[in-house]
């Protein structure tokens, strides 16, 4: 348990949230494969027999909007009781302390007036804020001095007409999306507007927006909370993995809405590649997009007869319609060599150094190396898409078939599972190539490449079965084969991820680049 | 909005009746209270002494709830002013997150003047000039004086910002949020 203690928080794990699909292998849930874990551990952990979660597995918890609200309310109530201050003030203090309750209480006990001051809660109280008409008043913002003008002031006593106050608040809330830290309109005054004062001043509509923004700041203020990036999803995820841990772990989380993403960088699941590699890889691909553009083409020429071959499924086992030549779409090599122990399609053969003496040769080798990995990365991305297309087409035909033959829906769920497995495994494979691109050779790389090869072979085999004509798919023999292959693919993926994650956690990989961002990233440092 | 003009008219009256030191204000168009022309005298005992700098102040329609924009119409060699015909300024109180509707233009203009007396190289718009200011003060002063001689002598022209062709500082520049706050947006170029 030693290596990922750091990443285990007291929040419950994925297993608590996601339906346990161990009794139903055909579940459509994307997180299939957890039933395979014990086997994976026997393979990858020889030293002892304890059961632990896979090394790549991360503890996290999903919160729905009401949970997020409840958490805030609980903290506010607690501080309200312990420190004997109003709920509005407790909320402002908590936001000021970025919801670190312990530090707030400690600091407040130590020096209350300084804390109140710094949080914008002036200590001189003149009763609860209310609207008021003040004789002889001149508004310092609009310079209006009409008698009977309604005015408002926070505790600091800086008084302005209500119209100006409203305009100011709506500019902050609507215009700037600010909520938690709106200050008194007076120059140099840091008193913060509280929710109750806001309720007095503005329309319910604006108040609703204000509370929505406050609600968001709670999540945005906490390093352990992040919004699910899926469009229209309002859930938040809690995870204890910190920025500084990102060279040791790839924290993939999965939301109740089904979206799987990286807690570190919010991008789609990119295991096994660490966040920093992903960032560098994506930048490199964008920079070199022209060089690599031809790769994503849907057509290539048959290496034997040169007739044009179109790829319309995910499977990389190509058969030329004309000359029946069988070859690999990825490396254009003979397919017959791919099913054997000689399979070498995933590995980039470093040529001996003698060949690359001059700079030009070196840069050619480095381009070849990049293209090798990019080719495979882009290909799995494309194949995942094509697999999905095939699945949707098949699904349609299946529905048709069900109507005609009276087969029940459950009986074809195995195709859904197979499709999910292909998607997830190809996503993993994709990132293994970005991972490998930055990997410096050591005694572990061969094991990694073997795992990669095994997963890739399993995926291609499943992908091929998947493209069979509908009549064959309905056959029970193929159905069993597909189910077996699906479960095997998932198993291979777990093995690969577990191995890479363990070695990452223990710092046993060597990369030819830094794994932690310099911190200055994103700063305005470019200049000419 | 009548009440809004009331505030601007009051500020204008205050600024013309008792102008802040070294500052004089005029309206290029009497019917438009939202554009001010300001002449700023280079403060004594600074490299800018003897120069006269034109500033254009533009008040947004919902002034004072949004910050005005202030730009140099006269070229100036300064770490906090873009070294181009846009003359964007990086001024703390004008940043959206700092702006308060009670802030007065007189105060803003005094802050600009204070920037000439004491540049803020740690918050620069021109990183190169800021570096020079810190590392080679003599060279900085020489360059600043040359600029004064070349651009800040004689009658102040306010149209230069409009008529001058935009410089070629493509894509560089410190795009600090809200910095400069020029009417043309944040993409100020850093001309070498
Ligand atoms: Zn007012
Ligand atoms: Zn105040
Ligand atoms: Zn979600
Ligand atoms: Zn990430
Ligand atoms: Zn052929
Ligand atoms: Zn191949």
């Amino acid at each position: 348990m030693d290596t990922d203690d750091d990443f285990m928080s007291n929040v419950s794990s994925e297993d608590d949230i996601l339906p346990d699909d161990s009794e139903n292998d055909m579940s459509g849930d994307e997180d299939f494969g957890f039933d395979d874990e014990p086997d994976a551990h026997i393979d990858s952990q020889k030293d002892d027999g304890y059961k632990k979660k896979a090394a790549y597995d991360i503890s996290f918890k999903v919160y729905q909007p009401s949970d997020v609200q409840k958490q805030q309310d609980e903290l506010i109530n607690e501080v309200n009781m312990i420190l004997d201050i109003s709920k509005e003030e407790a909320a402002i203090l908590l936001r000021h302390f970025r919801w670190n309750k312990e530090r707030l209480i400690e600091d407040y006990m130590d020096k209350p007036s300084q804390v109140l001051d710094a949080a914008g809660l002036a200590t001189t109280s003149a009763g609860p804020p209310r609207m008021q008409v003040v004789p002889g008043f001149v508004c310092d913002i609009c310079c209006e001095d009409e008698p009977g003008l309604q005015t408002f002031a926070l505790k600091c006593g800086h008084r302005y007409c209500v119209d100006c106050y409203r305009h100011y608040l709506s500019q902050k809330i609507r215009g700037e999306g600010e909520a938690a830290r709106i200050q008194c309109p007076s120059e140099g005054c840091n008193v913060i507007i509280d929710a109750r004062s806001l309720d007095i001043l503005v329309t319910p509509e604006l108040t609703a927006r204000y509370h929505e923004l406050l609600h968001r700041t709670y999540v945005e203020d906490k390093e352990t909370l992040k919004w699910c990036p899926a469009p229209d999803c309002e859930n938040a995820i809690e995870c204890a993995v910190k920025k500084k841990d990102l060279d040791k772990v790839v924290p993939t989380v999965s939301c109740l809405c089904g979206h799987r993403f990286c807690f570190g960088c919010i991008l789609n699941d990119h295991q096994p590649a660490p966040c920093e590699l992903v960032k560098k890889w994506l930048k490199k691909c964008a920079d070199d997009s022209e060089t690599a553009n031809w790769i994503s083409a849907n057509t290539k020429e048959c290496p034997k007869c040169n007739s044009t071959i179109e790829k319309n499924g995910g499977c990389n086992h190509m058969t030329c319609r004309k000359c029946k030549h069988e070859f690999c779409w990825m490396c254009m090599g003979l397919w017959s060599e791919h099913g054997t122990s000689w399979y070498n399609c995933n590995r980039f053969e470093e040529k001996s150094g003698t060949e690359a003496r001059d700079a030009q040769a070196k840069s050619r080798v480095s381009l070849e190396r990049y293209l090798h990995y990019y080719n495979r990365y882009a290909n799995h991305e494309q194949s995942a898409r094509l697999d999905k297309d095939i699945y949707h087409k098949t699904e349609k035909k299946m529905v048709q078939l069900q109507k005609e033959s009276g087969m029940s829906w459950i009986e074809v769920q195995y195709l859904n599972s197979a499709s999910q497995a292909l998607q997830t495994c190809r996503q993993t494979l994709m990132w293994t190539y970005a991972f490998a691109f930055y990997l410096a050779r050591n005694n572990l790389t061969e094991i990694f490449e073997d795992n990669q090869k095994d997963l890739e072979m399993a995926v291609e085999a499943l992908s091929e079965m998947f493209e069979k004509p509908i009549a064959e798919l309905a056959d029970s023999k193929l159905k069993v084969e597909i189910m077996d292959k699906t479960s095997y693919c998932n198993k291979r993926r777990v093995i690969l991820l577990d191995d890479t994650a363990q070695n990452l956690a223990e710092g046993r990989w060597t990369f030819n680049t830094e794994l932690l961002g310099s911190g200055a990233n994103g700063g305005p440092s470019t200049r000419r | 909005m009548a009440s809004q003009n009331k505030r601007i008219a009051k500020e204008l009256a205050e600024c013309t009746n008792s102008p802040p030191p070294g500052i004089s204000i005029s309206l290029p168009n009497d019917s438009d209270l939202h554009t001010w022309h300001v002449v700023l005298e280079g403060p004594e005992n600074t490299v800018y002494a003897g120069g006269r700098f034109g500033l254009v102040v533009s008040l947004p329609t919902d002034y004072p709830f949004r910050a005005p924009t202030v730009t140099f119409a006269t070229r100036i060699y300064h770490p906090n002013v873009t070294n181009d015909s846009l003359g964007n300024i990086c001024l703390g109180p004008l940043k959206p997150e700092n702006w308060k509707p009670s802030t007065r233009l007189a105060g803003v203009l005094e802050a600009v003047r204070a920037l000439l007396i004491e540049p803020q190289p740690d918050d620069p718009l021109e990183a190169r000039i800021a570096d020079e200011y810190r590392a080679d003060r003599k060279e900085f002063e020489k360059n600043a004086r040359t600029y004064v001689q070349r651009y800040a002598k004689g009658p102040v022209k306010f149209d230069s910002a409009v008529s001058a062709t935009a410089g070629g500082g493509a894509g560089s520049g410190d795009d600090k949020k809200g910095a400069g706050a020029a009417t043309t947006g944040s993409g100020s170029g850093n001309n070498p």
Side-chain angles (χ1 to χ4, degrees), chain A residues 137 139-144 149 160-165, chain B residues 65:
Chain A
F137 174 80
C139 176
D140 199 33
I141 294 176
C142 62
C143 303
E144 209 53 71
L149 206 60
Y160 301 99
C161 84
V162 165
D163 277 353
C164 281
Y165 237 113
Chain B
F65 296 99

Side-chain angles (χ1 to χ4, degrees), chain A residues 138-146 160 163-165 167-168 171-172 176 183-190 524 526-528, chain B residues 1 3-4 6-7 10 62 64-66 96-97 99-104 127-128 131 169-176 190:
Chain A
V138 183
C139 176
D140 199 33
I141 294 176
C142 62
C143 303
E144 209 53 71
D145 54 2
E146 261 173 60
Y160 301 99
D163 277 353
C164 281
Y165 237 113
H167 196 138
Y168 173 67
Q171 158 67 21
K172 283 285 166 195
E176 293 171 31
Q183 295 179 344
C184 160
S186 177
E187 195 179 358
C189 179
N190 68 353
T526 41
R527 59 173 84 141
R528 42 181 69 222
Chain B
M1 262 171 118
S3 61
Q4 197 193 12
K6 201 167 177 173
R7 153 86 184 248
K10 194 173 171 192
D62 56 349
F65 296 99
R66 283 203 309 128
E97 65 271 27
W99 175 255
K100 290 292 186 76
S102 64
T103 309
R104 301 282 151 158
R128 196 195 57 76
D131 288 345
S172 68
D174 297 34
D175 283 341
K176 294 242 172 73
N190 288 4

Side-chain angles (χ1 to χ4, degrees), chain A residues 19-33 413-414 416-418 420:
Chain A
D20 182 4
D21 51 7
S22 51
E23 69 276 21
N24 178 12
D25 208 21
M26 297 301 113
S27 137
D29 191 58
E30 257 201 275
D31 286 274
F32 47 71
Q413 276 301 304
Y414 70 96
N416 183 38
S417 297
Q420 299 281 7

Side-chain angles (χ1 to χ4, degrees), chain A residues 462 465 468 476-487:
Chain A
L462 180 60
M465 289 178 188
K468 286 276 185 337
S476 66
K477 186 167 163 286
L478 185 57
K479 174 178 162 179
V480 170
E481 270 177 48
I482 288 182
M483 283 165 64
D484 285 351
K485 203 49 117 181
T486 300
S487 127

Side-chain angles (χ1 to χ4, degrees), chain A residues 274-289:
Chain A
C275 295
E276 188 62 21
L277 292 191
V278 169
K279 201 169 120 192
K280 285 185 174 138
W281 176 255
L282 291 175
K283 185 171 181 306
K284 180 162 183 57
C285 293
D287 291 350
D288 298 350
S289 62

Side-chain angles (χ1 to χ4, degrees), chain A residues 222-239:
Chain A
K222 296 192 83 164
E223 206 191 352
T224 53
L225 279 179
K226 273 178 189 148
W227 295 110
C228 169
D232 303 325
C233 179
E234 295 190 326
N235 296 337
I237 311 262
E238 182 172 50
C239 175

